[in-house]
Amino acid sequence: MLVVTTENIHGYEIEKVMGSAFGIIVRSRGIGGNITAALRSIVGGEIKEYTAMLEDARNSAVERLIQNARSMGANAVVMMRFDSSEIGQTMSEVVAYGTAVVVREIR
């Protein structure tokens, strides 16, 4: 499955637009991770526990986006974007979304 942030895919022609596709995930750090992150925030610098959590969440959201696009009959996603938000004080929501399309390689 091709997933791109651009409107077109070089070397491919969009034959059919299947519609909007998305993948969503909500993650929360455990109490231990939150305490460690809070202590790190006092000192400053990167909070690696949250960086790893959000990186994993983005990867999972893209995988779910791909599953959603496949279920629609698509073989590519164009204009892929991420969005994220906080739910309460302990949870992060990450959404990957784009347009599911059927593409054909141009020869």
Side-chain angles (χ1 to χ4, degrees):
M1 170 84 55
L2 295 169
V3 178
V4 298
T5 59
T6 55
E7 187 174 346
N8 298 300
I9 304 170
H10 181 72
Y12 290 83
E13 177 181 24
I14 295 176
E15 291 187 326
K16 188 173 182 183
V17 175
M18 306 307 286
S20 297
F22 68 93
I24 184 171
I25 188 158
V26 176
R27 290 280 169 92
S28 176
R29 289 228 38 98
I31 187 73
N34 285 333
I35 291 170
T36 302
L39 292 173
R40 282 188 201 258
S41 69
I42 294 169
V43 177
E46 180 182 7
I47 301 173
K48 294 179 183 180
E49 293 80 13
Y50 285 140
T51 299
M53 179 190 74
L54 290 173
E55 183 177 346
D56 184 53
R58 280 185 171 217
N59 290 336
S60 295
V62 170
E63 285 301 316
R64 290 178 182 191
L65 165 67
I66 289 169
Q67 290 172 3
N68 183 227
R70 272 200 183 110
S71 73
M72 298 168 71
N75 64 354
V77 175
V78 295
M79 299 296 292
M80 193 281 291
R81 301 286 187 265
F82 286 109
D83 193 11
S84 63
S85 63
E86 295 291 318
I87 300 174
Q89 295 181 351
T90 61
M91 294 176 278
S92 295
E93 170 196 44
V94 176
V95 180
Y97 61 94
T99 303
V101 296
V102 175
V103 296
R104 177 182 56 83
E105 190 170 5
I106 301 170
R107 296 179 189 220

